[in-house]
PDB file of all heavy atoms in Angstrom:
ATOM      1  N   GLY A1347       0.792  -1.214   0.000  1.00 95.00           N
ATOM      2  CA  GLY A1347       0.000   0.000   0.000  1.00 95.00           C
ATOM      3  C   GLY A1347       0.825   1.266   0.000  1.00 95.00           C
ATOM      4  O   GLY A1347       0.485   2.248  -0.672  1.00 95.00           O
ATOM      5  N   ASP A1348       1.951   1.269   0.741  1.00 94.00           N
ATOM      6  CA  ASP A1348       2.718   2.508   0.854  1.00 94.00           C
ATOM      7  C   ASP A1348       3.606   2.780  -0.351  1.00 94.00           C
ATOM      8  O   ASP A1348       4.288   3.793  -0.396  1.00 94.00           O
ATOM      9  CB  ASP A1348       3.530   2.536   2.146  1.00 94.00           C
ATOM     10  CG  ASP A1348       4.543   1.416   2.257  1.00 94.00           C
ATOM     11  OD1 ASP A1348       4.695   0.634   1.299  1.00 94.00           O
ATOM     12  OD2 ASP A1348       5.202   1.317   3.322  1.00 94.00           O
ATOM     13  N   VAL A1349       3.586   1.896  -1.348  1.00 97.00           N
ATOM     14  CA  VAL A1349       4.240   2.196  -2.623  1.00 97.00           C
ATOM     15  C   VAL A1349       3.521   3.359  -3.308  1.00 97.00           C
ATOM     16  O   VAL A1349       4.118   4.092  -4.092  1.00 97.00           O
ATOM     17  CB  VAL A1349       4.250   0.941  -3.531  1.00 97.00           C
ATOM     18  CG1 VAL A1349       4.608   1.288  -4.968  1.00 97.00           C
ATOM     19  CG2 VAL A1349       5.227  -0.092  -2.986  1.00 97.00           C
ATOM     20  N   VAL A1350       2.248   3.525  -2.985  1.00 98.00           N
ATOM     21  CA  VAL A1350       1.406   4.542  -3.606  1.00 98.00           C
ATOM     22  C   VAL A1350       1.102   5.663  -2.620  1.00 98.00           C
ATOM     23  O   VAL A1350       0.781   5.415  -1.457  1.00 98.00           O
ATOM     24  CB  VAL A1350       0.082   3.909  -4.090  1.00 98.00           C
ATOM     25  CG1 VAL A1350      -0.841   4.967  -4.687  1.00 98.00           C
ATOM     26  CG2 VAL A1350       0.366   2.808  -5.099  1.00 98.00           C
ATOM     27  N   ASP A1351       1.193   6.901  -3.097  1.00 98.00           N
ATOM     28  CA  ASP A1351       0.700   8.045  -2.340  1.00 98.00           C
ATOM     29  C   ASP A1351      -0.817   8.023  -2.477  1.00 98.00           C
ATOM     30  O   ASP A1351      -1.370   8.453  -3.499  1.00 98.00           O
ATOM     31  CB  ASP A1351       1.286   9.334  -2.909  1.00 98.00           C
ATOM     32  CG  ASP A1351       0.855  10.578  -2.156  1.00 98.00           C
ATOM     33  OD1 ASP A1351      -0.179  10.525  -1.451  1.00 98.00           O
ATOM     34  OD2 ASP A1351       1.529  11.607  -2.289  1.00 98.00           O
ATOM     35  N   GLU A1352      -1.489   7.481  -1.467  1.00 98.00           N
ATOM     36  CA  GLU A1352      -2.926   7.243  -1.555  1.00 98.00           C
ATOM     37  C   GLU A1352      -3.714   8.541  -1.749  1.00 98.00           C
ATOM     38  O   GLU A1352      -4.721   8.567  -2.468  1.00 98.00           O
ATOM     39  CB  GLU A1352      -3.401   6.506  -0.312  1.00 98.00           C
ATOM     40  CG  GLU A1352      -4.655   5.681  -0.500  1.00 98.00           C
ATOM     41  CD  GLU A1352      -4.815   4.653   0.608  1.00 98.00           C
ATOM     42  OE1 GLU A1352      -4.999   5.063   1.778  1.00 98.00           O
ATOM     43  OE2 GLU A1352      -4.753   3.449   0.309  1.00 98.00           O
ATOM     44  N   ALA A1353      -3.275   9.612  -1.121  1.00 98.00           N
ATOM     45  CA  ALA A1353      -3.952  10.903  -1.289  1.00 98.00           C
ATOM     46  C   ALA A1353      -3.868  11.372  -2.734  1.00 98.00           C
ATOM     47  O   ALA A1353      -4.837  11.918  -3.288  1.00 98.00           O
ATOM     48  CB  ALA A1353      -3.343  11.945  -0.350  1.00 98.00           C
ATOM     49  N   ALA A1354      -2.704  11.156  -3.362  1.00 98.00           N
ATOM     50  CA  ALA A1354      -2.545  11.543  -4.768  1.00 98.00           C
ATOM     51  C   ALA A1354      -3.412  10.681  -5.676  1.00 98.00           C
ATOM     52  O   ALA A1354      -3.969  11.164  -6.663  1.00 98.00           O
ATOM     53  CB  ALA A1354      -1.077  11.432  -5.168  1.00 98.00           C
ATOM     54  N   LEU A1355      -3.541   9.395  -5.342  1.00 98.00           N
ATOM     55  CA  LEU A1355      -4.407   8.513  -6.119  1.00 98.00           C
ATOM     56  C   LEU A1355      -5.858   8.967  -6.024  1.00 98.00           C
ATOM     57  O   LEU A1355      -6.571   9.034  -7.039  1.00 98.00           O
ATOM     58  CB  LEU A1355      -4.271   7.072  -5.620  1.00 98.00           C
ATOM     59  CG  LEU A1355      -5.270   6.055  -6.200  1.00 98.00           C
ATOM     60  CD1 LEU A1355      -5.129   5.952  -7.716  1.00 98.00           C
ATOM     61  CD2 LEU A1355      -5.089   4.695  -5.538  1.00 98.00           C
ATOM     62  N   ILE A1356      -6.305   9.280  -4.820  1.00 98.00           N
ATOM     63  CA  ILE A1356      -7.680   9.738  -4.628  1.00 98.00           C
ATOM     64  C   ILE A1356      -7.930  11.018  -5.421  1.00 98.00           C
ATOM     65  O   ILE A1356      -8.962  11.156  -6.092  1.00 98.00           O
ATOM     66  CB  ILE A1356      -7.967   9.952  -3.128  1.00 98.00           C
ATOM     67  CG1 ILE A1356      -8.004   8.598  -2.408  1.00 98.00           C
ATOM     68  CG2 ILE A1356      -9.264  10.715  -2.920  1.00 98.00           C
ATOM     69  CD1 ILE A1356      -8.001   8.703  -0.893  1.00 98.00           C
ATOM     70  N   ALA A1357      -6.978  11.940  -5.371  1.00 98.00           N
ATOM     71  CA  ALA A1357      -7.134  13.202  -6.109  1.00 98.00           C
ATOM     72  C   ALA A1357      -7.220  12.953  -7.609  1.00 98.00           C
ATOM     73  O   ALA A1357      -8.032  13.563  -8.311  1.00 98.00           O
ATOM     74  CB  ALA A1357      -5.966  14.138  -5.782  1.00 98.00           C
ATOM     75  N   ALA A1358      -6.385  12.035  -8.115  1.00 98.00           N
ATOM     76  CA  ALA A1358      -6.384  11.724  -9.549  1.00 98.00           C
ATOM     77  C   ALA A1358      -7.709  11.111  -9.980  1.00 98.00           C
ATOM     78  O   ALA A1358      -8.227  11.416 -11.070  1.00 98.00           O
ATOM     79  CB  ALA A1358      -5.232  10.788  -9.877  1.00 98.00           C
ATOM     80  N   LEU A1359      -8.276  10.264  -9.142  1.00 98.00           N
ATOM     81  CA  LEU A1359      -9.575   9.656  -9.435  1.00 98.00           C
ATOM     82  C   LEU A1359     -10.692  10.701  -9.378  1.00 98.00           C
ATOM     83  O   LEU A1359     -11.557  10.761 -10.257  1.00 98.00           O
ATOM     84  CB  LEU A1359      -9.851   8.522  -8.449  1.00 98.00           C
ATOM     85  CG  LEU A1359      -9.031   7.255  -8.641  1.00 98.00           C
ATOM     86  CD1 LEU A1359      -9.047   6.407  -7.371  1.00 98.00           C
ATOM     87  CD2 LEU A1359      -9.547   6.441  -9.830  1.00 98.00           C
ATOM     88  N   GLN A1360     -10.680  11.533  -8.358  1.00 98.00           N
ATOM     89  CA  GLN A1360     -11.728  12.540  -8.200  1.00 98.00           C
ATOM     90  C   GLN A1360     -11.689  13.586  -9.308  1.00 98.00           C
ATOM     91  O   GLN A1360     -12.736  14.082  -9.742  1.00 98.00           O
ATOM     92  CB  GLN A1360     -11.595  13.214  -6.833  1.00 98.00           C
ATOM     93  CG  GLN A1360     -11.956  12.309  -5.665  1.00 98.00           C
ATOM     94  CD  GLN A1360     -11.708  12.951  -4.311  1.00 98.00           C
ATOM     95  OE1 GLN A1360     -10.857  13.839  -4.179  1.00 98.00           O
ATOM     96  NE2 GLN A1360     -12.432  12.509  -3.289  1.00 98.00           N
ATOM     97  N   ASP A1361     -10.469  13.890  -9.784  1.00 97.00           N
ATOM     98  CA  ASP A1361     -10.315  14.912 -10.825  1.00 97.00           C
ATOM     99  C   ASP A1361     -10.470  14.350 -12.232  1.00 97.00           C
ATOM    100  O   ASP A1361     -10.376  15.101 -13.217  1.00 97.00           O
ATOM    101  CB  ASP A1361      -8.943  15.587 -10.704  1.00 97.00           C
ATOM    102  CG  ASP A1361      -8.796  16.389  -9.412  1.00 97.00           C
ATOM    103  OD1 ASP A1361      -9.831  16.672  -8.766  1.00 97.00           O
ATOM    104  OD2 ASP A1361      -7.644  16.715  -9.046  1.00 97.00           O
ATOM    105  N   GLY A1362     -10.655  13.036 -12.347  1.00 97.00           N
ATOM    106  CA  GLY A1362     -10.801  12.422 -13.663  1.00 97.00           C
ATOM    107  C   GLY A1362      -9.501  12.315 -14.437  1.00 97.00           C
ATOM    108  O   GLY A1362      -9.516  12.142 -15.661  1.00 97.00           O
ATOM    109  N   GLN A1363      -8.358  12.410 -13.732  1.00 97.00           N
ATOM    110  CA  GLN A1363      -7.072  12.258 -14.414  1.00 97.00           C
ATOM    111  C   GLN A1363      -6.868  10.842 -14.911  1.00 97.00           C
ATOM    112  O   GLN A1363      -6.185  10.619 -15.912  1.00 97.00           O
ATOM    113  CB  GLN A1363      -5.919  12.624 -13.458  1.00 97.00           C
ATOM    114  CG  GLN A1363      -5.752  14.102 -13.215  1.00 97.00           C
ATOM    115  CD  GLN A1363      -4.526  14.376 -12.344  1.00 97.00           C
ATOM    116  OE1 GLN A1363      -4.235  13.634 -11.411  1.00 97.00           O
ATOM    117  NE2 GLN A1363      -3.813  15.446 -12.654  1.00 97.00           N
ATOM    118  N   ILE A1364      -7.441   9.855 -14.198  1.00 98.00           N
ATOM    119  CA  ILE A1364      -7.363   8.459 -14.600  1.00 98.00           C
ATOM    120  C   ILE A1364      -8.766   7.858 -14.575  1.00 98.00           C
ATOM    121  O   ILE A1364      -9.675   8.404 -13.949  1.00 98.00           O
ATOM    122  CB  ILE A1364      -6.403   7.639 -13.709  1.00 98.00           C
ATOM    123  CG1 ILE A1364      -6.908   7.558 -12.273  1.00 98.00           C
ATOM    124  CG2 ILE A1364      -5.003   8.235 -13.762  1.00 98.00           C
ATOM    125  CD1 ILE A1364      -6.055   6.668 -11.379  1.00 98.00           C
ATOM    126  N   GLY A1365      -8.905   6.709 -15.265  1.00 98.00           N
ATOM    127  CA  GLY A1365     -10.233   6.149 -15.446  1.00 98.00           C
ATOM    128  C   GLY A1365     -10.738   5.297 -14.305  1.00 98.00           C
ATOM    129  O   GLY A1365     -11.950   5.101 -14.157  1.00 98.00           O
ATOM    130  N   GLY A1366      -9.835   4.761 -13.491  1.00 98.00           N
ATOM    131  CA  GLY A1366     -10.266   3.891 -12.401  1.00 98.00           C
ATOM    132  C   GLY A1366      -9.075   3.251 -11.730  1.00 98.00           C
ATOM    133  O   GLY A1366      -7.921   3.451 -12.132  1.00 98.00           O
ATOM    134  N   ALA A1367      -9.352   2.459 -10.703  1.00 98.00           N
ATOM    135  CA  ALA A1367      -8.275   1.791  -9.966  1.00 98.00           C
ATOM    136  C   ALA A1367      -8.779   0.476  -9.398  1.00 98.00           C
ATOM    137  O   ALA A1367      -9.961   0.353  -9.045  1.00 98.00           O
ATOM    138  CB  ALA A1367      -7.744   2.685  -8.844  1.00 98.00           C
ATOM    139  N   GLY A1368      -7.871  -0.488  -9.305  1.00 98.00           N
ATOM    140  CA  GLY A1368      -8.149  -1.762  -8.658  1.00 98.00           C
ATOM    141  C   GLY A1368      -7.080  -2.013  -7.615  1.00 98.00           C
ATOM    142  O   GLY A1368      -5.892  -2.071  -7.948  1.00 98.00           O
ATOM    143  N   LEU A1369      -7.470  -2.129  -6.356  1.00 98.00           N
ATOM    144  CA  LEU A1369      -6.508  -2.172  -5.258  1.00 98.00           C
ATOM    145  C   LEU A1369      -6.710  -3.410  -4.398  1.00 98.00           C
ATOM    146  O   LEU A1369      -7.831  -3.747  -4.030  1.00 98.00           O
ATOM    147  CB  LEU A1369      -6.669  -0.922  -4.377  1.00 98.00           C
ATOM    148  CG  LEU A1369      -6.660   0.431  -5.104  1.00 98.00           C
ATOM    149  CD1 LEU A1369      -6.989   1.548  -4.129  1.00 98.00           C
ATOM    150  CD2 LEU A1369      -5.323   0.669  -5.794  1.00 98.00           C
ATOM    151  N   ASP A1370      -5.597  -4.055  -4.073  1.00 98.00           N
ATOM    152  CA  ASP A1370      -5.624  -5.174  -3.128  1.00 98.00           C
ATOM    153  C   ASP A1370      -4.916  -4.814  -1.832  1.00 98.00           C
ATOM    154  O   ASP A1370      -4.972  -5.562  -0.863  1.00 98.00           O
ATOM    155  CB  ASP A1370      -4.957  -6.408  -3.756  1.00 98.00           C
ATOM    156  CG  ASP A1370      -5.205  -7.678  -2.953  1.00 98.00           C
ATOM    157  OD1 ASP A1370      -6.325  -7.845  -2.438  1.00 98.00           O
ATOM    158  OD2 ASP A1370      -4.274  -8.503  -2.839  1.00 98.00           O
ATOM    159  N   VAL A1371      -4.227  -3.674  -1.819  1.00 97.00           N
ATOM    160  CA  VAL A1371      -3.440  -3.229  -0.664  1.00 97.00           C
ATOM    161  C   VAL A1371      -3.642  -1.731  -0.469  1.00 97.00           C
ATOM    162  O   VAL A1371      -3.987  -1.011  -1.411  1.00 97.00           O
ATOM    163  CB  VAL A1371      -1.939  -3.550  -0.861  1.00 97.00           C
ATOM    164  CG1 VAL A1371      -1.683  -5.044  -0.782  1.00 97.00           C
ATOM    165  CG2 VAL A1371      -1.434  -3.010  -2.197  1.00 97.00           C
ATOM    166  N   TYR A1372      -3.372  -1.261   0.773  1.00 97.00           N
ATOM    167  CA  TYR A1372      -3.702   0.112   1.139  1.00 97.00           C
ATOM    168  C   TYR A1372      -2.615   0.699   2.028  1.00 97.00           C
ATOM    169  O   TYR A1372      -1.933  -0.022   2.761  1.00 97.00           O
ATOM    170  CB  TYR A1372      -5.062   0.140   1.855  1.00 97.00           C
ATOM    171  CG  TYR A1372      -6.111  -0.595   1.047  1.00 97.00           C
ATOM    172  CD1 TYR A1372      -6.347  -1.955   1.261  1.00 97.00           C
ATOM    173  CD2 TYR A1372      -6.802   0.052   0.031  1.00 97.00           C
ATOM    174  CE1 TYR A1372      -7.259  -2.652   0.483  1.00 97.00           C
ATOM    175  CE2 TYR A1372      -7.717  -0.631  -0.752  1.00 97.00           C
ATOM    176  CZ  TYR A1372      -7.936  -1.983  -0.530  1.00 97.00           C
ATOM    177  OH  TYR A1372      -8.826  -2.672  -1.308  1.00 97.00           O
ATOM    178  N   GLU A1373      -2.483   2.012   1.982  1.00 96.00           N
ATOM    179  CA  GLU A1373      -1.381   2.666   2.686  1.00 96.00           C
ATOM    180  C   GLU A1373      -1.479   2.509   4.191  1.00 96.00           C
ATOM    181  O   GLU A1373      -0.466   2.337   4.869  1.00 96.00           O
ATOM    182  CB  GLU A1373      -1.325   4.147   2.303  1.00 96.00           C
ATOM    183  CG  GLU A1373      -0.081   4.838   2.811  1.00 96.00           C
ATOM    184  CD  GLU A1373       0.149   6.204   2.207  1.00 96.00           C
ATOM    185  OE1 GLU A1373      -0.662   6.657   1.373  1.00 96.00           O
ATOM    186  OE2 GLU A1373       1.157   6.846   2.573  1.00 96.00           O
ATOM    187  N   GLN A1374      -2.695   2.556   4.744  1.00 93.00           N
ATOM    188  CA  GLN A1374      -2.886   2.413   6.190  1.00 93.00           C
ATOM    189  C   GLN A1374      -3.703   1.152   6.481  1.00 93.00           C
ATOM    190  O   GLN A1374      -4.603   1.163   7.318  1.00 93.00           O
ATOM    191  CB  GLN A1374      -3.588   3.652   6.750  1.00 93.00           C
ATOM    192  CG  GLN A1374      -2.859   4.957   6.509  1.00 93.00           C
ATOM    193  CD  GLN A1374      -1.509   5.013   7.194  1.00 93.00           C
ATOM    194  OE1 GLN A1374      -1.314   4.433   8.257  1.00 93.00           O
ATOM    195  NE2 GLN A1374      -0.564   5.725   6.591  1.00 93.00           N
ATOM    196  N   GLU A1375      -3.388   0.093   5.801  1.00 91.00           N
ATOM    197  CA  GLU A1375      -4.133  -1.166   5.914  1.00 91.00           C
ATOM    198  C   GLU A1375      -4.265  -1.622   7.370  1.00 91.00           C
ATOM    199  O   GLU A1375      -3.293  -1.557   8.112  1.00 91.00           O
ATOM    200  CB  GLU A1375      -3.365  -2.221   5.101  1.00 91.00           C
ATOM    201  CG  GLU A1375      -4.101  -3.476   4.784  1.00 91.00           C
ATOM    202  CD  GLU A1375      -3.360  -4.320   3.757  1.00 91.00           C
ATOM    203  OE1 GLU A1375      -2.921  -3.761   2.729  1.00 91.00           O
ATOM    204  OE2 GLU A1375      -3.210  -5.527   3.996  1.00 91.00           O
ATOM    205  N   PRO A1376      -5.477  -2.032   7.824  1.00 92.00           N
ATOM    206  CA  PRO A1376      -6.676  -2.324   7.036  1.00 92.00           C
ATOM    207  C   PRO A1376      -7.631  -1.142   6.849  1.00 92.00           C
ATOM    208  O   PRO A1376      -8.739  -1.331   6.362  1.00 92.00           O
ATOM    209  CB  PRO A1376      -7.351  -3.415   7.869  1.00 92.00           C
ATOM    210  CG  PRO A1376      -7.034  -3.036   9.275  1.00 92.00           C
ATOM    211  CD  PRO A1376      -5.635  -2.477   9.230  1.00 92.00           C
ATOM    212  N   THR A1377      -7.212   0.066   7.225  1.00 96.00           N
ATOM    213  CA  THR A1377      -8.072   1.229   7.026  1.00 96.00           C
ATOM    214  C   THR A1377      -8.099   1.610   5.553  1.00 96.00           C
ATOM    215  O   THR A1377      -7.044   1.761   4.926  1.00 96.00           O
ATOM    216  CB  THR A1377      -7.567   2.420   7.861  1.00 96.00           C
ATOM    217  OG1 THR A1377      -7.565   2.052   9.242  1.00 96.00           O
ATOM    218  CG2 THR A1377      -8.446   3.637   7.659  1.00 96.00           C
ATOM    219  N   VAL A1378      -9.296   1.749   5.006  1.00 98.00           N
ATOM    220  CA  VAL A1378      -9.473   2.160   3.612  1.00 98.00           C
ATOM    221  C   VAL A1378     -10.231   3.485   3.618  1.00 98.00           C
ATOM    222  O   VAL A1378     -11.324   3.565   4.193  1.00 98.00           O
ATOM    223  CB  VAL A1378     -10.253   1.102   2.806  1.00 98.00           C
ATOM    224  CG1 VAL A1378     -10.419   1.546   1.353  1.00 98.00           C
ATOM    225  CG2 VAL A1378      -9.547  -0.246   2.876  1.00 98.00           C
ATOM    226  N   PRO A1379      -9.696   4.535   3.007  1.00 98.00           N
ATOM    227  CA  PRO A1379     -10.352   5.840   3.036  1.00 98.00           C
ATOM    228  C   PRO A1379     -11.767   5.795   2.453  1.00 98.00           C
ATOM    229  O   PRO A1379     -12.021   5.114   1.454  1.00 98.00           O
ATOM    230  CB  PRO A1379      -9.437   6.716   2.172  1.00 98.00           C
ATOM    231  CG  PRO A1379      -8.105   6.055   2.229  1.00 98.00           C
ATOM    232  CD  PRO A1379      -8.390   4.585   2.297  1.00 98.00           C
ATOM    233  N   LYS A1380     -12.669   6.533   3.076  1.00 98.00           N
ATOM    234  CA  LYS A1380     -14.039   6.628   2.581  1.00 98.00           C
ATOM    235  C   LYS A1380     -14.080   7.133   1.148  1.00 98.00           C
ATOM    236  O   LYS A1380     -14.959   6.762   0.358  1.00 98.00           O
ATOM    237  CB  LYS A1380     -14.864   7.554   3.480  1.00 98.00           C
ATOM    238  CG  LYS A1380     -15.315   6.921   4.781  1.00 98.00           C
ATOM    239  CD  LYS A1380     -16.403   5.889   4.520  1.00 98.00           C
ATOM    240  CE  LYS A1380     -16.938   5.348   5.845  1.00 98.00           C
ATOM    241  NZ  LYS A1380     -17.938   4.272   5.604  1.00 98.00           N
ATOM    242  N   ALA A1381     -13.140   7.993   0.812  1.00 98.00           N
ATOM    243  CA  ALA A1381     -13.102   8.530  -0.547  1.00 98.00           C
ATOM    244  C   ALA A1381     -12.978   7.420  -1.581  1.00 98.00           C
ATOM    245  O   ALA A1381     -13.528   7.522  -2.681  1.00 98.00           O
ATOM    246  CB  ALA A1381     -11.944   9.510  -0.692  1.00 98.00           C
ATOM    247  N   LEU A1382     -12.258   6.347  -1.227  1.00 98.00           N
ATOM    248  CA  LEU A1382     -12.136   5.215  -2.150  1.00 98.00           C
ATOM    249  C   LEU A1382     -13.377   4.339  -2.132  1.00 98.00           C
ATOM    250  O   LEU A1382     -13.863   3.910  -3.184  1.00 98.00           O
ATOM    251  CB  LEU A1382     -10.899   4.384  -1.791  1.00 98.00           C
ATOM    252  CG  LEU A1382      -9.541   5.003  -2.084  1.00 98.00           C
ATOM    253  CD1 LEU A1382      -8.418   4.116  -1.560  1.00 98.00           C
ATOM    254  CD2 LEU A1382      -9.354   5.240  -3.584  1.00 98.00           C
ATOM    255  N   THR A1383     -13.896   4.046  -0.952  1.00 98.00           N
ATOM    256  CA  THR A1383     -15.065   3.170  -0.879  1.00 98.00           C
ATOM    257  C   THR A1383     -16.302   3.814  -1.501  1.00 98.00           C
ATOM    258  O   THR A1383     -17.228   3.112  -1.913  1.00 98.00           O
ATOM    259  CB  THR A1383     -15.384   2.766   0.575  1.00 98.00           C
ATOM    260  OG1 THR A1383     -15.674   3.933   1.347  1.00 98.00           O
ATOM    261  CG2 THR A1383     -14.204   2.033   1.202  1.00 98.00           C
ATOM    262  N   ASN A1384     -16.317   5.138  -1.594  1.00 97.00           N
ATOM    263  CA  ASN A1384     -17.460   5.839  -2.170  1.00 97.00           C
ATOM    264  C   ASN A1384     -17.424   5.909  -3.695  1.00 97.00           C
ATOM    265  O   ASN A1384     -18.409   6.316  -4.313  1.00 97.00           O
ATOM    266  CB  ASN A1384     -17.551   7.261  -1.608  1.00 97.00           C
ATOM    267  CG  ASN A1384     -17.993   7.283  -0.159  1.00 97.00           C
ATOM    268  OD1 ASN A1384     -18.585   6.324   0.336  1.00 97.00           O
ATOM    269  ND2 ASN A1384     -17.689   8.368   0.536  1.00 97.00           N
TER     270      ASN A1384
END
């Protein structure tokens, strides 16, 4: 999970910079940000 800057990923998804994401791991596992689950 910590290979990825999760905040930057969320921003890229929210801003439409990328089309989507598939994640099996998380930066603060097992906590998954609401922004992703939504």
Side-chain angles (χ1 to χ4, degrees):
D1348 61 4
V1349 166
V1350 177
D1351 182 339
E1352 205 162 65
L1355 171 61
I1356 291 168
L1359 288 161
Q1360 290 175 334
D1361 294 344
Q1363 285 184 322
I1364 65 175
L1369 309 173
D1370 192 39
V1371 290
Y1372 309 92
E1373 189 168 0
Q1374 302 297 328
E1375 195 169 313
T1377 301
V1378 180
K1380 282 288 185 184
L1382 289 175
T1383 61
N1384 288 340

